[in-house]
Amino acid sequence: MNKKKLNILFVNSWYPSRVFPQNGDFIQRHAEAVALKHRITSLHVVTDPAVSKTEISDRTINEVRTLIAYVKPTKPGLLKLIQFTRTYFSLLKKVGPFDLVQVNRIYPAGLIGLFIKYKYAKPLLLTEHFTGYLPERAVGLDWLEKKITAFICAKADHIATVSDNLNRSMQQLGFKNRFSVVPNVVDTDLFQAKNKKSEVFNILHISSMLDKHKNVSGILRVIKRLEMEKVRFRFVMIGEGSSQYLPLIKELGIRKENVFLKEQIPHQEIALHMQAADLFVLFSNYENLPCVILEAFSAGVPVISTDIGGISAFFPEDFGKLIPVKDEEALFYAIRNQMKKPAPDKVKMHGYAG
């Protein structure tokens, strides 16, 4: 017997738009995954310096009705809050009947979610991905944001996060409710495992390129050490702002033929780079559960990552190596050891991601 299809309203603090094409792309993929079984309408409001009055885009993208409002810039504070609130209300008028509301990234869209919950008497589900609630970053959390988030959490019907580690971190901050874990989703049709032959060992890194978060400079120092070992490899860095590391690459003396930089690229092209890689490296100082690790597994690519956040809970032992944070020595030897290993069981890795 088929279960009834629900009409679910997504209200998103983060979501891809023409202003920020990659912002919250994992939320969009989550919406598309849920749309395989239910009907999804997704709402988002974003500031656009190119508009003088509000513009609304209403499109169906991969079975998800996507309503995005582009509003003119306003100074942060009460006026911006009023502007965004009014705009969300105007989007709500375009939405048909729905059974429940899901807020993605609790602050600030959770305030809209609470309004919807009480006005329309619908259940409110919160989903959270924010690394700012982890212990490594929570000390810098804005006092007002913390208070508002705690209030929203207490009034919601349920909270889901991408890792058990994030659940514990949020509860330690005083956010109270019933918690569960819903990992990030992977398009296993797109991230297929393919056999390949290459004379050069291909190392891949994909991230936001924020050094405080991703420790890209640490990876580059290790890449220089690999170069001194006189092994054949190619290191590919993909992410917005990757060119900011050109001075460091020059300072370290890394040869141009060994490192390739790419700015943001479409998600479909990410899959091609994964399939061409022999190893994926993530050297972050803090994380929850990065989509790129699961995508690497789906593409049959082993991963070396720092052992942080919720990564270890979804990291089979024979799929790569977990190392301590900021341990460049451990990263160097993990890469060298991986270079000497036979190719992984790609079918097994892809099956795990599915």
Side-chain angles (χ1 to χ4, degrees), residues 235-265:
F235 177 54
V236 179
M237 288 171 49
I238 301 175
E240 184 177 9
S242 58
S243 59
Q244 68 184 290
Y245 294 98
L246 284 171
L248 178 59
I249 291 169
K250 184 177 180 180
E251 178 185 330
L252 292 171
I254 300 174
R255 292 195 293 272
K256 291 182 179 180
E257 61 268 25
N258 286 342
V259 61
F260 297 82
L261 309 184
K262 287 184 174 291
E263 296 288 324
Q264 272 188 357
I265 59 177

PDB file of all heavy atoms in Angstrom, residues 235-265:
ATOM      1  N   PHE A 235      47.693  17.732  -8.331  1.00  0.00           N
ATOM      2  CA  PHE A 235      46.797  18.191  -7.269  1.00  0.00           C
ATOM      3  C   PHE A 235      45.827  19.213  -7.856  1.00  0.00           C
ATOM      4  O   PHE A 235      46.234  20.235  -8.407  1.00  0.00           O
ATOM      5  CB  PHE A 235      47.594  18.815  -6.132  1.00  0.00           C
ATOM      6  CG  PHE A 235      46.738  19.389  -5.032  1.00  0.00           C
ATOM      7  CD1 PHE A 235      45.775  18.616  -4.410  1.00  0.00           C
ATOM      8  CD2 PHE A 235      46.894  20.704  -4.604  1.00  0.00           C
ATOM      9  CE1 PHE A 235      44.972  19.124  -3.401  1.00  0.00           C
ATOM     10  CE2 PHE A 235      46.107  21.229  -3.601  1.00  0.00           C
ATOM     11  CZ  PHE A 235      45.142  20.435  -2.990  1.00  0.00           C
ATOM     12  N   VAL A 236      44.519  18.916  -7.720  1.00  0.00           N
ATOM     13  CA  VAL A 236      43.476  19.793  -8.260  1.00  0.00           C
ATOM     14  C   VAL A 236      42.680  20.385  -7.097  1.00  0.00           C
ATOM     15  O   VAL A 236      42.169  19.658  -6.245  1.00  0.00           O
ATOM     16  CB  VAL A 236      42.526  19.023  -9.198  1.00  0.00           C
ATOM     17  CG1 VAL A 236      41.430  19.951  -9.719  1.00  0.00           C
ATOM     18  CG2 VAL A 236      43.298  18.410 -10.362  1.00  0.00           C
ATOM     19  N   MET A 237      42.607  21.716  -7.062  1.00  0.00           N
ATOM     20  CA  MET A 237      41.826  22.450  -6.056  1.00  0.00           C
ATOM     21  C   MET A 237      40.636  23.103  -6.744  1.00  0.00           C
ATOM     22  O   MET A 237      40.809  23.849  -7.699  1.00  0.00           O
ATOM     23  CB  MET A 237      42.667  23.550  -5.398  1.00  0.00           C
ATOM     24  CG  MET A 237      43.735  23.045  -4.456  1.00  0.00           C
ATOM     25  SD  MET A 237      44.855  24.399  -3.935  1.00  0.00           S
ATOM     26  CE  MET A 237      43.701  25.679  -3.450  1.00  0.00           C
ATOM     27  N   ILE A 238      39.423  22.820  -6.244  1.00  0.00           N
ATOM     28  CA  ILE A 238      38.216  23.380  -6.839  1.00  0.00           C
ATOM     29  C   ILE A 238      37.416  24.118  -5.772  1.00  0.00           C
ATOM     30  O   ILE A 238      37.094  23.551  -4.724  1.00  0.00           O
ATOM     31  CB  ILE A 238      37.341  22.286  -7.480  1.00  0.00           C
ATOM     32  CG1 ILE A 238      38.115  21.546  -8.572  1.00  0.00           C
ATOM     33  CG2 ILE A 238      36.066  22.896  -8.063  1.00  0.00           C
ATOM     34  CD1 ILE A 238      37.353  20.374  -9.176  1.00  0.00           C
ATOM     35  N   GLY A 239      37.084  25.366  -6.049  1.00  0.00           N
ATOM     36  CA  GLY A 239      36.265  26.138  -5.119  1.00  0.00           C
ATOM     37  C   GLY A 239      36.412  27.627  -5.367  1.00  0.00           C
ATOM     38  O   GLY A 239      37.447  28.088  -5.863  1.00  0.00           O
ATOM     39  N   GLU A 240      35.379  28.371  -5.015  1.00  0.00           N
ATOM     40  CA  GLU A 240      35.403  29.816  -5.201  1.00  0.00           C
ATOM     41  C   GLU A 240      36.525  30.434  -4.374  1.00  0.00           C
ATOM     42  O   GLU A 240      36.639  30.190  -3.177  1.00  0.00           O
ATOM     43  CB  GLU A 240      34.063  30.418  -4.793  1.00  0.00           C
ATOM     44  CG  GLU A 240      33.962  31.909  -5.053  1.00  0.00           C
ATOM     45  CD  GLU A 240      32.602  32.473  -4.709  1.00  0.00           C
ATOM     46  OE1 GLU A 240      31.784  31.739  -4.103  1.00  0.00           O
ATOM     47  OE2 GLU A 240      32.348  33.649  -5.030  1.00  0.00           O
ATOM     48  N   GLY A 241      37.373  31.203  -5.037  1.00  0.00           N
ATOM     49  CA  GLY A 241      38.475  31.851  -4.341  1.00  0.00           C
ATOM     50  C   GLY A 241      39.747  31.030  -4.305  1.00  0.00           C
ATOM     51  O   GLY A 241      40.682  31.368  -3.578  1.00  0.00           O
ATOM     52  N   SER A 242      39.817  29.965  -5.100  1.00  0.00           N
ATOM     53  CA  SER A 242      41.029  29.138  -5.093  1.00  0.00           C
ATOM     54  C   SER A 242      42.259  29.927  -5.545  1.00  0.00           C
ATOM     55  O   SER A 242      43.383  29.655  -5.102  1.00  0.00           O
ATOM     56  CB  SER A 242      40.841  27.903  -5.978  1.00  0.00           C
ATOM     57  OG  SER A 242      40.532  28.275  -7.307  1.00  0.00           O
ATOM     58  N   SER A 243      42.045  30.947  -6.384  1.00  0.00           N
ATOM     59  CA  SER A 243      43.168  31.738  -6.887  1.00  0.00           C
ATOM     60  C   SER A 243      43.863  32.543  -5.786  1.00  0.00           C
ATOM     61  O   SER A 243      45.004  32.992  -5.968  1.00  0.00           O
ATOM     62  CB  SER A 243      42.698  32.683  -7.999  1.00  0.00           C
ATOM     63  OG  SER A 243      41.694  33.556  -7.516  1.00  0.00           O
ATOM     64  N   GLN A 244      43.212  32.719  -4.624  1.00  0.00           N
ATOM     65  CA  GLN A 244      43.839  33.459  -3.523  1.00  0.00           C
ATOM     66  C   GLN A 244      45.095  32.749  -3.011  1.00  0.00           C
ATOM     67  O   GLN A 244      45.925  33.356  -2.326  1.00  0.00           O
ATOM     68  CB  GLN A 244      42.851  33.626  -2.362  1.00  0.00           C
ATOM     69  CG  GLN A 244      42.496  32.319  -1.658  1.00  0.00           C
ATOM     70  CD  GLN A 244      41.456  32.474  -0.579  1.00  0.00           C
ATOM     71  OE1 GLN A 244      41.732  33.071   0.466  1.00  0.00           O
ATOM     72  NE2 GLN A 244      40.258  31.958  -0.822  1.00  0.00           N
ATOM     73  N   TYR A 245      45.235  31.455  -3.359  1.00  0.00           N
ATOM     74  CA  TYR A 245      46.384  30.673  -2.881  1.00  0.00           C
ATOM     75  C   TYR A 245      47.560  30.695  -3.862  1.00  0.00           C
ATOM     76  O   TYR A 245      48.582  30.063  -3.592  1.00  0.00           O
ATOM     77  CB  TYR A 245      45.956  29.238  -2.583  1.00  0.00           C
ATOM     78  CG  TYR A 245      44.990  29.169  -1.423  1.00  0.00           C
ATOM     79  CD1 TYR A 245      43.614  29.084  -1.639  1.00  0.00           C
ATOM     80  CD2 TYR A 245      45.443  29.243  -0.115  1.00  0.00           C
ATOM     81  CE1 TYR A 245      42.722  29.067  -0.579  1.00  0.00           C
ATOM     82  CE2 TYR A 245      44.561  29.223   0.956  1.00  0.00           C
ATOM     83  CZ  TYR A 245      43.199  29.138   0.719  1.00  0.00           C
ATOM     84  OH  TYR A 245      42.323  29.122   1.784  1.00  0.00           O
ATOM     85  N   LEU A 246      47.413  31.427  -4.953  1.00  0.00           N
ATOM     86  CA  LEU A 246      48.523  31.522  -5.915  1.00  0.00           C
ATOM     87  C   LEU A 246      49.790  32.087  -5.273  1.00  0.00           C
ATOM     88  O   LEU A 246      50.889  31.557  -5.514  1.00  0.00           O
ATOM     89  CB  LEU A 246      48.102  32.356  -7.122  1.00  0.00           C
ATOM     90  CG  LEU A 246      47.182  31.641  -8.132  1.00  0.00           C
ATOM     91  CD1 LEU A 246      46.658  32.630  -9.161  1.00  0.00           C
ATOM     92  CD2 LEU A 246      47.932  30.496  -8.813  1.00  0.00           C
ATOM     93  N   PRO A 247      49.706  33.157  -4.454  1.00  0.00           N
ATOM     94  CA  PRO A 247      50.933  33.648  -3.801  1.00  0.00           C
ATOM     95  C   PRO A 247      51.592  32.610  -2.912  1.00  0.00           C
ATOM     96  O   PRO A 247      52.825  32.496  -2.888  1.00  0.00           O
ATOM     97  CB  PRO A 247      50.436  34.851  -2.996  1.00  0.00           C
ATOM     98  CG  PRO A 247      49.209  35.315  -3.708  1.00  0.00           C
ATOM     99  CD  PRO A 247      48.566  34.058  -4.204  1.00  0.00           C
ATOM    100  N   LEU A 248      50.808  31.827  -2.168  1.00  0.00           N
ATOM    101  CA  LEU A 248      51.376  30.793  -1.310  1.00  0.00           C
ATOM    102  C   LEU A 248      52.012  29.683  -2.139  1.00  0.00           C
ATOM    103  O   LEU A 248      53.093  29.177  -1.791  1.00  0.00           O
ATOM    104  CB  LEU A 248      50.301  30.213  -0.389  1.00  0.00           C
ATOM    105  CG  LEU A 248      50.749  29.078   0.549  1.00  0.00           C
ATOM    106  CD1 LEU A 248      51.889  29.542   1.461  1.00  0.00           C
ATOM    107  CD2 LEU A 248      49.579  28.562   1.376  1.00  0.00           C
ATOM    108  N   ILE A 249      51.354  29.316  -3.223  1.00  0.00           N
ATOM    109  CA  ILE A 249      51.909  28.293  -4.121  1.00  0.00           C
ATOM    110  C   ILE A 249      53.263  28.744  -4.660  1.00  0.00           C
ATOM    111  O   ILE A 249      54.227  27.973  -4.709  1.00  0.00           O
ATOM    112  CB  ILE A 249      50.913  28.002  -5.263  1.00  0.00           C
ATOM    113  CG1 ILE A 249      49.680  27.276  -4.711  1.00  0.00           C
ATOM    114  CG2 ILE A 249      51.570  27.172  -6.365  1.00  0.00           C
ATOM    115  CD1 ILE A 249      48.534  27.181  -5.677  1.00  0.00           C
ATOM    116  N   LYS A 250      53.329  30.024  -5.021  1.00  0.00           N
ATOM    117  CA  LYS A 250      54.591  30.585  -5.525  1.00  0.00           C
ATOM    118  C   LYS A 250      55.640  30.624  -4.421  1.00  0.00           C
ATOM    119  O   LYS A 250      56.814  30.280  -4.637  1.00  0.00           O
ATOM    120  CB  LYS A 250      54.346  31.987  -6.084  1.00  0.00           C
ATOM    121  CG  LYS A 250      55.578  32.623  -6.709  1.00  0.00           C
ATOM    122  CD  LYS A 250      55.238  33.984  -7.294  1.00  0.00           C
ATOM    123  CE  LYS A 250      56.477  34.625  -7.923  1.00  0.00           C
ATOM    124  NZ  LYS A 250      56.154  35.970  -8.491  1.00  0.00           N
ATOM    125  N   GLU A 251      55.216  31.036  -3.214  1.00  0.00           N
ATOM    126  CA  GLU A 251      56.147  31.122  -2.074  1.00  0.00           C
ATOM    127  C   GLU A 251      56.715  29.751  -1.716  1.00  0.00           C
ATOM    128  O   GLU A 251      57.905  29.607  -1.408  1.00  0.00           O
ATOM    129  CB  GLU A 251      55.414  31.717  -0.875  1.00  0.00           C
ATOM    130  CG  GLU A 251      56.251  31.812   0.395  1.00  0.00           C
ATOM    131  CD  GLU A 251      55.443  32.282   1.584  1.00  0.00           C
ATOM    132  OE1 GLU A 251      54.473  33.038   1.384  1.00  0.00           O
ATOM    133  OE2 GLU A 251      55.763  31.872   2.718  1.00  0.00           O
ATOM    134  N   LEU A 252      55.870  28.728  -1.761  1.00  0.00           N
ATOM    135  CA  LEU A 252      56.312  27.370  -1.438  1.00  0.00           C
ATOM    136  C   LEU A 252      57.149  26.755  -2.552  1.00  0.00           C
ATOM    137  O   LEU A 252      57.865  25.774  -2.333  1.00  0.00           O
ATOM    138  CB  LEU A 252      55.099  26.473  -1.159  1.00  0.00           C
ATOM    139  CG  LEU A 252      54.302  26.787   0.109  1.00  0.00           C
ATOM    140  CD1 LEU A 252      53.003  25.975   0.138  1.00  0.00           C
ATOM    141  CD2 LEU A 252      55.132  26.489   1.359  1.00  0.00           C
ATOM    142  N   GLY A 253      57.035  27.337  -3.745  1.00  0.00           N
ATOM    143  CA  GLY A 253      57.805  26.821  -4.871  1.00  0.00           C
ATOM    144  C   GLY A 253      57.214  25.574  -5.492  1.00  0.00           C
ATOM    145  O   GLY A 253      57.930  24.758  -6.088  1.00  0.00           O
ATOM    146  N   ILE A 254      55.892  25.407  -5.387  1.00  0.00           N
ATOM    147  CA  ILE A 254      55.233  24.256  -6.014  1.00  0.00           C
ATOM    148  C   ILE A 254      55.212  24.461  -7.524  1.00  0.00           C
ATOM    149  O   ILE A 254      54.838  25.521  -8.019  1.00  0.00           O
ATOM    150  CB  ILE A 254      53.797  24.097  -5.477  1.00  0.00           C
ATOM    151  CG1 ILE A 254      53.819  23.878  -3.963  1.00  0.00           C
ATOM    152  CG2 ILE A 254      53.092  22.923  -6.168  1.00  0.00           C
ATOM    153  CD1 ILE A 254      52.437  23.863  -3.325  1.00  0.00           C
ATOM    154  N   ARG A 255      55.612  23.444  -8.254  1.00  0.00           N
ATOM    155  CA  ARG A 255      55.699  23.561  -9.707  1.00  0.00           C
ATOM    156  C   ARG A 255      54.309  23.681 -10.330  1.00  0.00           C
ATOM    157  O   ARG A 255      53.366  22.999  -9.914  1.00  0.00           O
ATOM    158  CB  ARG A 255      56.435  22.357 -10.293  1.00  0.00           C
ATOM    159  CG  ARG A 255      57.920  22.323  -9.909  1.00  0.00           C
ATOM    160  CD  ARG A 255      58.695  21.353 -10.790  1.00  0.00           C
ATOM    161  NE  ARG A 255      58.299  19.978 -10.547  1.00  0.00           N
ATOM    162  CZ  ARG A 255      58.841  19.192  -9.617  1.00  0.00           C
ATOM    163  NH1 ARG A 255      59.822  19.663  -8.851  1.00  0.00           N
ATOM    164  NH2 ARG A 255      58.441  17.943  -9.472  1.00  0.00           N
ATOM    165  N   LYS A 256      54.214  24.518 -11.342  1.00  0.00           N
ATOM    166  CA  LYS A 256      52.930  24.787 -11.984  1.00  0.00           C
ATOM    167  C   LYS A 256      52.300  23.535 -12.563  1.00  0.00           C
ATOM    168  O   LYS A 256      51.071  23.392 -12.579  1.00  0.00           O
ATOM    169  CB  LYS A 256      53.107  25.842 -13.088  1.00  0.00           C
ATOM    170  CG  LYS A 256      53.429  27.234 -12.576  1.00  0.00           C
ATOM    171  CD  LYS A 256      53.541  28.209 -13.724  1.00  0.00           C
ATOM    172  CE  LYS A 256      53.854  29.625 -13.211  1.00  0.00           C
ATOM    173  NZ  LYS A 256      53.979  30.599 -14.330  1.00  0.00           N
ATOM    174  N   GLU A 257      53.119  22.613 -13.044  1.00  0.00           N
ATOM    175  CA  GLU A 257      52.575  21.413 -13.673  1.00  0.00           C
ATOM    176  C   GLU A 257      51.975  20.436 -12.658  1.00  0.00           C
ATOM    177  O   GLU A 257      51.339  19.446 -13.043  1.00  0.00           O
ATOM    178  CB  GLU A 257      53.649  20.699 -14.496  1.00  0.00           C
ATOM    179  CG  GLU A 257      54.853  20.224 -13.706  1.00  0.00           C
ATOM    180  CD  GLU A 257      55.979  21.245 -13.661  1.00  0.00           C
ATOM    181  OE1 GLU A 257      55.692  22.456 -13.801  1.00  0.00           O
ATOM    182  OE2 GLU A 257      57.137  20.823 -13.505  1.00  0.00           O
ATOM    183  N   ASN A 258      52.178  20.698 -11.365  1.00  0.00           N
ATOM    184  CA  ASN A 258      51.680  19.777 -10.338  1.00  0.00           C
ATOM    185  C   ASN A 258      50.401  20.240  -9.661  1.00  0.00           C
ATOM    186  O   ASN A 258      49.768  19.470  -8.933  1.00  0.00           O
ATOM    187  CB  ASN A 258      52.749  19.559  -9.259  1.00  0.00           C
ATOM    188  CG  ASN A 258      53.872  18.671  -9.737  1.00  0.00           C
ATOM    189  OD1 ASN A 258      53.726  17.947 -10.722  1.00  0.00           O
ATOM    190  ND2 ASN A 258      55.007  18.719  -9.064  1.00  0.00           N
ATOM    191  N   VAL A 259      50.010  21.484  -9.851  1.00  0.00           N
ATOM    192  CA  VAL A 259      48.824  22.004  -9.173  1.00  0.00           C
ATOM    193  C   VAL A 259      47.929  22.743 -10.165  1.00  0.00           C
ATOM    194  O   VAL A 259      48.400  23.514 -11.002  1.00  0.00           O
ATOM    195  CB  VAL A 259      49.218  22.923  -7.987  1.00  0.00           C
ATOM    196  CG1 VAL A 259      50.014  24.127  -8.451  1.00  0.00           C
ATOM    197  CG2 VAL A 259      47.983  23.345  -7.196  1.00  0.00           C
ATOM    198  N   PHE A 260      46.625  22.476 -10.068  1.00  0.00           N
ATOM    199  CA  PHE A 260      45.641  23.070 -10.968  1.00  0.00           C
ATOM    200  C   PHE A 260      44.510  23.664 -10.130  1.00  0.00           C
ATOM    201  O   PHE A 260      43.935  22.981  -9.278  1.00  0.00           O
ATOM    202  CB  PHE A 260      45.083  22.015 -11.929  1.00  0.00           C
ATOM    203  CG  PHE A 260      46.126  21.425 -12.839  1.00  0.00           C
ATOM    204  CD1 PHE A 260      46.943  20.397 -12.390  1.00  0.00           C
ATOM    205  CD2 PHE A 260      46.308  21.917 -14.118  1.00  0.00           C
ATOM    206  CE1 PHE A 260      47.914  19.854 -13.213  1.00  0.00           C
ATOM    207  CE2 PHE A 260      47.278  21.381 -14.939  1.00  0.00           C
ATOM    208  CZ  PHE A 260      48.093  20.345 -14.489  1.00  0.00           C
ATOM    209  N   LEU A 261      44.201  24.928 -10.376  1.00  0.00           N
ATOM    210  CA  LEU A 261      43.169  25.635  -9.615  1.00  0.00           C
ATOM    211  C   LEU A 261      41.940  25.861 -10.484  1.00  0.00           C
ATOM    212  O   LEU A 261      42.047  26.254 -11.650  1.00  0.00           O
ATOM    213  CB  LEU A 261      43.685  26.981  -9.122  1.00  0.00           C
ATOM    214  CG  LEU A 261      45.017  26.998  -8.363  1.00  0.00           C
ATOM    215  CD1 LEU A 261      45.319  28.399  -7.882  1.00  0.00           C
ATOM    216  CD2 LEU A 261      45.004  26.023  -7.213  1.00  0.00           C
ATOM    217  N   LYS A 262      40.775  25.630  -9.898  1.00  0.00           N
ATOM    218  CA  LYS A 262      39.519  25.900 -10.587  1.00  0.00           C
ATOM    219  C   LYS A 262      38.587  26.623  -9.630  1.00  0.00           C
ATOM    220  O   LYS A 262      38.508  26.272  -8.453  1.00  0.00           O
ATOM    221  CB  LYS A 262      38.856  24.603 -11.072  1.00  0.00           C
ATOM    222  CG  LYS A 262      39.558  23.968 -12.278  1.00  0.00           C
ATOM    223  CD  LYS A 262      38.792  22.759 -12.759  1.00  0.00           C
ATOM    224  CE  LYS A 262      39.388  22.206 -14.043  1.00  0.00           C
ATOM    225  NZ  LYS A 262      39.189  23.114 -15.183  1.00  0.00           N
ATOM    226  N   GLU A 263      37.880  27.625 -10.146  1.00  0.00           N
ATOM    227  CA  GLU A 263      36.888  28.317  -9.338  1.00  0.00           C
ATOM    228  C   GLU A 263      35.618  27.470  -9.284  1.00  0.00           C
ATOM    229  O   GLU A 263      35.628  26.297  -9.668  1.00  0.00           O
ATOM    230  CB  GLU A 263      36.622  29.701  -9.935  1.00  0.00           C
ATOM    231  CG  GLU A 263      37.833  30.630  -9.903  1.00  0.00           C
ATOM    232  CD  GLU A 263      38.181  31.137  -8.507  1.00  0.00           C
ATOM    233  OE1 GLU A 263      37.251  31.391  -7.710  1.00  0.00           O
ATOM    234  OE2 GLU A 263      39.376  31.263  -8.198  1.00  0.00           O
ATOM    235  N   GLN A 264      34.523  28.039  -8.831  1.00  0.00           N
ATOM    236  CA  GLN A 264      33.269  27.299  -8.748  1.00  0.00           C
ATOM    237  C   GLN A 264      32.877  26.738 -10.108  1.00  0.00           C
ATOM    238  O   GLN A 264      32.974  27.409 -11.127  1.00  0.00           O
ATOM    239  CB  GLN A 264      32.151  28.209  -8.255  1.00  0.00           C
ATOM    240  CG  GLN A 264      32.027  28.244  -6.749  1.00  0.00           C
ATOM    241  CD  GLN A 264      30.790  29.001  -6.304  1.00  0.00           C
ATOM    242  OE1 GLN A 264      30.046  29.544  -7.102  1.00  0.00           O
ATOM    243  NE2 GLN A 264      30.562  29.065  -5.012  1.00  0.00           N
ATOM    244  N   ILE A 265      32.419  25.496 -10.113  1.00  0.00           N
ATOM    245  CA  ILE A 265      31.951  24.856 -11.334  1.00  0.00           C
ATOM    246  C   ILE A 265      30.619  24.173 -11.053  1.00  0.00           C
ATOM    247  O   ILE A 265      30.284  23.896  -9.899  1.00  0.00           O
ATOM    248  CB  ILE A 265      32.980  23.833 -11.871  1.00  0.00           C
ATOM    249  CG1 ILE A 265      33.257  22.736 -10.814  1.00  0.00           C
ATOM    250  CG2 ILE A 265      34.266  24.525 -12.291  1.00  0.00           C
ATOM    251  CD1 ILE A 265      34.196  21.653 -11.299  1.00  0.00           C
TER     252      ILE A 265
END
